[in-house]
Amino acid sequence: MHLAYPAVLSALLFCTGLYGVLARRNAILILMSVELMLNAVNLNLVAFDVWLSKTAEETLHSGQALTLFTIAIAAAEIGIGLAIVLAVHRNRGTADIDRLRDTAEGHESQEGSAADGPDTDAPATGAAAEKAEATA
């Protein structure tokens, strides 16, 4: 088998994943697109390892070993990423990247400071407005 076939498939997978990262707004779909890009790299590593092992007398299979490390790192990345997405979804009520703001702890306390005095005529701002909008 020629090296061009897996290389072209890997390029198509990587471009599909890159499009998913750039075009999607949902955090889970972005993580899935990153996984697709990592799988494209794994396919390239294994294809070049097989291609180079045919030409070399001593085969070390370093591409396949590196692929196993990449799979382990990808599994850790998706586990931590999903944990972060679930924590943000519990706190904010959405996994939409555009609707998320700065997640620093002091961000909400600056918006709703009581130093300005009670203002009952002002519309609700911040997280309270987003939750009211989501339930409406």
Side-chain angles (χ1 to χ4, degrees):
M1 178 168 64
H2 297 287
L3 181 62
Y5 298 133
V8 168
L9 179 62
S10 175
L12 289 174
L13 283 174
F14 192 85
C15 290
T16 304
L18 185 64
Y19 173 75
V21 167
L22 295 177
R24 299 290 180 186
R25 298 293 180 235
N26 191 348
I28 295 174
L29 292 177
I30 290 175
L31 287 174
M32 289 174 59
S33 298
V34 169
E35 289 292 321
L36 193 63
M37 292 167 58
L38 286 172
N39 286 332
V41 170
N42 288 340
L43 178 63
N44 243 351
L45 285 171
V46 171
F48 275 99
D49 182 49
V50 169
W51 182 65
L52 289 175
S53 69
K54 289 180 181 179
T55 59
E57 293 178 9
E58 297 179 10
T59 58
L60 295 176
H61 298 295
S62 58
Q64 293 178 12
L66 190 58
T67 298
L68 288 175
F69 285 120
T70 307
I71 289 171
I73 289 172
E77 174 258 336
I78 197 70
I80 292 172
L82 280 176
I84 291 171
V85 168
L86 286 175
V88 167
H89 189 272
R90 284 183 189 151
N91 289 337
R92 303 288 178 145
T94 183
D96 190 11
I97 299 296
D98 289 336
R99 297 192 61 195
L100 296 179
R101 294 185 188 167
D102 189 12
T103 57
E105 290 180 22
H107 187 265
E108 291 180 357
S109 65
Q110 292 174 355
E111 286 180 1
S113 63
D116 297 336
D119 189 11
T120 58
D121 296 336
T125 59
E130 288 179 9
K131 287 183 181 179
E133 183 182 65
T135 57

